[in-house]
Amino acid sequence: MKRHLYTADHEAFRESVREFVAREVVPHHERWDEQRHVDRETWVSAGKQGLVGLSGPEEHGGGGMFRDYRYRNVLLEELAAAYAGGLASSFSLQDDILVPYFAELGTPEQQARWLPRLCSGELIAAIAMTEPGTGSDLQGIRTTGKKVDGGWVVNGAKTFITSGIQSDIVVVVTRTDPDGGRNAFSLLVVERDMPGFSRGRQLKKIGLPAQDTAELVFEDVFVPEDNLLGVEGGGLAQLKAMLPLERLSIAAQGIAVADAVVATTLGYTTEREAFGQPIADFQNTRFQLAELATEADVTRAYVDQCILAWNDGDLTDVDAAKAKWWATDMQTRVVDRALQLHGGYGYMVEYPVARAYQDARVQKIYGGTNEIMKHIIGGAMVRGARSDR
């Protein structure tokens, strides 16, 4: 079935991405896995080629593609084909979360101050939500911002922070009003050299080793009023407004990886022999390949529709939650079964399917766990049924 998502411009962009991946990613990503971060030079090179900052405003050096996610999706597909999951995830954080935050919530001064360097790859940004005792329940956040003359004094700790070590600026979800309920939280931008801001451990994960993940510590960090992003007390509402794009990004990554794994597994099974014939000639193998390809194709059709809905400004919280839940569950199923078709070789990290297996598991956790996604979907269904009575 022909795919109708892309235009000739998107396919021309794909050629540029492929050239970048071949030159700047494939020779290095195993080393990135070992050193547990991507070289900063790669960020700058990607910026020069227009591969980061795609969602940023053109007047600040971005690609102006905030409402055409197809360009970002091309990049995800090509990075998935190279099994560069750590880089894909890091770029997604920058382009699908942080750049839109600054573009949508920042003052003109903040945009001029940070967006050009975010879009060029010279600045790496992070967002700090999760705390040691708080996961998906953001209202349980304990990091505090005490109001003082000219700003806030921030104290607390965050964990599981992507780009935590390399980040130059961090958007910190902070409790600025102890009694404010849902209006208790604000987004404060903490900069690398602010006194009292330090990095804790760089965390070792079972997957995405090239994606630098760390603990952050805030001890009496003074954050000036000019570093308030958005409205004081509007943190949770601002986070919620940006979640559909983050979840679409995770879903898009899920189907991109699944497609890559299906293609790799097809190639492996047609070449690998057992009992005197290619294992692709066994009925069970063909049944498995058929199921994997069909699951991926059906999921891609829905995610493509979500991408078009985002482009039109119509992607709802519920549709994004469906895409995130389904695509990441599908991804883990497909990768697990593809690994089985590789036999013992599938368990060896030198084989791409093993890396995909390690990287896939977190997809069902970050961006809101898949259980939270089901809660969002089911809650909307129940509210809709009651309103129809």
Side-chain angles (χ1 to χ4, degrees), residues 33-54:
D33 285 351
E34 293 173 2
Q35 71 186 24
R36 294 193 290 144
H37 69 266
V38 174
D39 298 334
R40 291 189 75 102
E41 292 81 4
T42 305
W43 285 83
V44 174
S45 178
K48 289 178 179 177
Q49 199 158 326
L51 305 187
V52 292
L54 281 166

Side-chain angles (χ1 to χ4, degrees), residues 79-320:
L79 290 174
Y83 290 90
L87 181 62
S89 180
S90 297
F91 278 5
S92 291
L93 174 71
Q94 188 98 341
D95 241 22
D96 299 334
I97 301 177
L98 275 311
V99 167
Y101 270 55
F102 285 100
E104 295 295 305
L105 303 174
T107 64
E109 184 277 332
Q110 289 172 334
Q111 292 176 2
R113 181 178 169 193
W114 287 312
L115 275 174
R117 288 183 294 159
L118 288 171
C119 292
S120 70
E122 296 172 79
L123 278 186
I124 298 174
I127 185 164
M129 290 187 274
T130 306
E131 297 184 356
T134 304
S136 296
D137 178 17
L138 295 181
Q139 292 192 61
I141 285 173
R142 296 182 179 179
T143 296
T144 60
K146 183 180 178 181
K147 188 69 175 173
V148 296
D149 288 343
W152 295 265
V153 174
V154 176
N155 282 281
K158 301 288 185 176
T159 193
F160 309 146
I161 307 306
T162 300
S163 298
I165 297 294
Q166 289 191 299
S167 53
D168 302 291
I169 54 175
V170 182
V171 177
V172 183
V173 184
T174 310
R175 183 181 288 274
T176 50
D177 182 350
D179 304 312
R182 292 188 61 83
N183 298 320
F185 303 95
S186 303
L187 307 182
L188 302 180
V189 182
V190 174
E191 300 178 65
R192 172 179 289 278
D193 296 326
M194 286 182 170
F197 172 42
S198 62
R199 324 283 167 150
R201 294 179 301 152
Q202 182 171 0
L203 302 172
K204 293 182 179 180
K205 312 184 297 292
I206 64 172
L208 297 174
Q211 179 208 68
D212 133 39
T213 306
E215 298 171 330
L216 303 180
V217 179
F218 308 93
E219 298 176 306
D220 292 333
V221 180
F222 174 71
V223 180
E225 289 179 349
D226 288 345
N227 284 32
L228 170 67
L229 188 61
V231 179
E232 183 177 355
L236 289 187
Q238 292 163 177
L239 291 171
K240 183 179 179 182
M242 304 302 290
L243 281 173
L245 178 57
E246 178 182 359
R247 289 166 179 166
L248 175 62
S249 170
I250 296 169
Q253 175 72 1
I255 182 58
V257 170
D259 278 344
V261 168
V262 171
T264 297
T265 304
L266 177 60
Y268 178 84
T269 57
T270 56
E271 296 173 3
R272 175 72 173 170
E273 291 193 356
F275 303 102
Q277 66 184 66
I279 60 175
D281 289 343
F282 292 103
Q283 184 185 61
N284 178 68
T285 303
R286 293 188 177 192
F287 281 9
Q288 292 290 325
L289 290 171
E291 292 172 10
L292 300 182
T294 302
E295 284 201 52
D297 286 351
V298 171
T299 302
R300 189 189 315 105
Y302 183 75
V303 174
D304 282 359
Q305 289 303 307
C306 287
I307 289 172
L308 294 176
W310 170 262
N311 290 355
D312 291 337
D314 295 331
L315 182 65
T316 67
D317 292 350
V318 172
D319 287 340

